[in-house]
Amino acid sequence: MKLDTDSIRKSIREFEINSAESLEQFRLKYVSRKGKVAELFSKMGTLAAEERAAAGKVLNELKNEAQSRFDQAKIDLESNLSTERAASDDITLQAPARPVGSHHPLTLTLEEIKRVFYRLGFSIAEGPEIEDDFHNFTSLNFPPEHPARDMQDTFYIHKDEHQIDKDLLLRTHTSPVQIRKMLEQRPPIRSIMPGRVYRNESVTYKSYFLFHQVEALYVDKNVNFAELKETLVMLAEMVFNRKVEYRLRPSFFPFTEPSLEMDIWWEQPGKPGKWLEILGAGMVHPNVLKSVDIDPEVYSGFALGMGVERMASLRYGIDDIRIFYDNDVRFLEQFQ
Ligand code: DAH
């Protein structure tokens, strides 16, 4: 007897597989244990002993061929399906919106201030928020018991429950970083010093117990008032992004002489215009240079200090300082 392998091999090769159903039919017919190939295996017993070895070899080949045709067809079918699915995806559909954060208005304002001074070749310096009397007051030419020390509503740090240490305090301005910078580096010095400062003030729409300042210091030979003035005008125009009408008003700070305050003319639609103070500045006082061992006969300098909240309030029309610290997303979202 002879097994009919040729016609089965032919139909394994020619069977059309183009869908999941026809794949399943192919499997049932040729691969499964009840299929045609299995059936031929079961007929082996009917063969003469000397025919069995050759027939077994042929049947094994047939079985392998059916299995590999099935495996390949399955792979082909799945990849067709996925390309069909990809073609039917609508890539113009709007993706769900992802929430995007925003920079805080104080950060945006500080960035703008930094940009002005980067242009002028200033670098950034930092100092500690817990300061001592020497850096915060004495070296800045505040005489002992001078009322200017009281002007700044200082937070002193308690040694223990009963004793206030008048030497250790939260810095009331960024000016002490001028001192630290000059102690660490000899002129020429061109630095800005941004940071937090603290004052014992009650919380209202216009005052808070902490806020941010940026100090600028330029010390070299022959630094003069005209350079200070140019710097102030450039600063105001870049921060407010327009030509500004300004005035430099004589003022007093212990650490500068002469000292000034800068006002800019402020107009808002429907309201009468007014002068608004935006910063303090002046030529570095000789006593300050002496306190850090810089010879005021050889070197001179200018310094200025401004409040970041003040600048940001004007830039964005914010009339309550407390909103800067609330972290209310409805407020912050507006600065994207
Ligand atoms: N430190 C001053 C303040 O907190 C601000 C200031 C004024 C800084 C004049 C300066 C300056 O460097 O020259 O009120």
Side-chain angles (χ1 to χ4, degrees):
M1 194 195 150
K2 181 145 176 23
L3 299 180
D4 178 18
T5 52
D6 287 347
S7 71
I8 294 187
R9 179 178 291 111
K10 193 162 180 279
S11 53
I12 285 175
R13 288 180 185 169
E14 289 173 2
F15 193 98
E16 204 174 327
I17 307 175
N18 53 17
S19 64
E21 295 80 56
S22 49
L23 180 69
E24 178 60 4
Q25 277 160 19
F26 179 87
R27 188 186 70 80
L28 291 171
K29 210 160 171 187
Y30 304 108
V31 183
S32 87
R33 290 209 276 141
K34 289 178 184 150
K36 297 208 175 218
V37 181
E39 191 185 317
L40 290 181
F41 270 108
S42 69
K43 287 187 182 157
M44 291 259 288
T46 65
L47 296 179
E50 64 275 18
E51 289 173 330
R52 278 185 209 154
K57 189 167 173 256
V58 174
L59 286 183
N60 270 324
E61 282 165 11
L62 213 56
K63 181 182 162 203
N64 290 340
E65 192 165 339
Q67 184 66 48
S68 56
R69 171 100 213 266
F70 174 82
D71 292 342
Q72 189 57 48
K74 189 168 176 205
I75 290 169
D76 292 349
L77 216 60
E78 277 165 3
S79 80
N80 278 348
L81 275 180
S82 65
T83 47
E84 272 166 32
R85 209 177 299 132
S88 70
D89 283 347
D90 182 354
I91 59 165
T92 66
L93 267 184
Q94 187 134 28
R98 290 198 195 188
V100 178
S102 54
H103 286 292
H104 194 282
L106 291 177
T107 307
L108 295 172
T109 305
L110 180 57
E111 288 303 316
E112 192 57 44
I113 295 168
K114 284 184 189 169
R115 254 193 291 279
V116 178
F117 286 99
Y118 284 153
R119 272 204 188 183
L120 298 172
F122 283 60
S123 57
I124 293 197
E126 283 181 341
E129 292 177 18
I130 295 177
E131 265 297 3
D132 52 29
D133 181 273
F134 173 76
H135 292 89
N136 198 81
F137 292 126
T138 304
S139 62
L140 288 164
N141 199 34
F142 286 80
E145 310 304 327
H146 190 277
R149 292 181 187 226
D150 297 332
M151 262 163 50
Q152 298 210 351
D153 301 313
T154 311
F155 281 120
Y156 287 98
I157 292 181
H158 290 227
K159 251 189 190 141
D160 59 47
E161 280 172 67
H162 312 289
Q163 209 185 346
I164 293 177
D165 182 353
K166 279 255 177 179
D167 190 45
L168 218 50
L169 46 90
L170 294 179
R171 67 179 178 196
T172 57
H173 51 180
T174 43
S175 303
V177 194
Q178 289 186 25
I179 301 299
R180 291 185 177 273
K181 186 71 196 175
M182 289 189 283
L183 285 172
E184 159 199 311
Q185 185 190 322
R186 297 286 90 183
I189 296 172
R190 264 180 294 183
S191 286
I192 58 169
M193 303 108 186
R196 276 188 186 182
V197 301
Y198 301 84
R199 291 187 194 177
N200 192 356
E201 293 193 35
S202 47
V203 173
T204 69
Y205 75 96
K206 59 173 182 176
S207 64
Y208 210 77
F209 48 83
L210 86 98
F211 56 99
H212 299 77
Q213 287 187 335
V214 181
E215 193 85 11
L217 175 70
Y218 178 25
V219 181
D220 200 352
K221 291 177 178 154
N222 304 316
V223 175
N224 61 47
F225 196 89
E227 288 165 300
L228 170 58
K229 184 181 151 187
E230 278 307 294
T231 306
L232 294 177
V233 174
M234 179 175 162
L235 173 69
E237 298 197 335
M238 276 185 70
V239 170
F240 299 110
N241 199 24
R242 62 177 162 87
K243 281 250 161 294
V244 292
E245 207 183 321
Y246 65 92
R247 69 182 184 193
L248 304 181
R249 206 169 15 84
S251 182
F252 171 80
F253 302 102
F255 37 89
T256 45
E257 181 58 35
S259 303
L260 66 90
E261 281 170 307
M262 182 183 202
D263 298 336
I264 57 173
W265 184 249
W266 200 258
E267 272 173 19
Q268 274 180 302
K271 287 187 186 167
K274 57 184 170 188
W275 289 108
L276 285 181
E277 179 203 321
I278 59 164
L279 54 77
M283 302 307 291
V284 179
H285 197 291
N287 287 351
V288 173
L289 295 176
K290 278 186 213 151
S291 80
V292 292
D293 255 340
I294 293 176
D295 184 352
E297 299 297 329
V298 180
Y299 293 101
S300 57
F302 70 66
L304 62 102
M306 75 198 105
V308 183
E309 280 77 356
R310 177 96 177 132
M311 295 294 207
S313 299
L314 293 173
R315 256 159 73 100
Y316 300 114
I318 293 164
D319 52 14
D320 188 334
I321 189 175
R322 292 169 292 197
I323 201 165
F324 286 122
Y325 316 112
D326 282 346
N327 279 333
D328 184 331
V329 286
R330 292 166 301 179
F331 170 66
L332 297 173
E333 268 170 0
Q334 300 173 65
F335 298 94
Q336 274 174 9

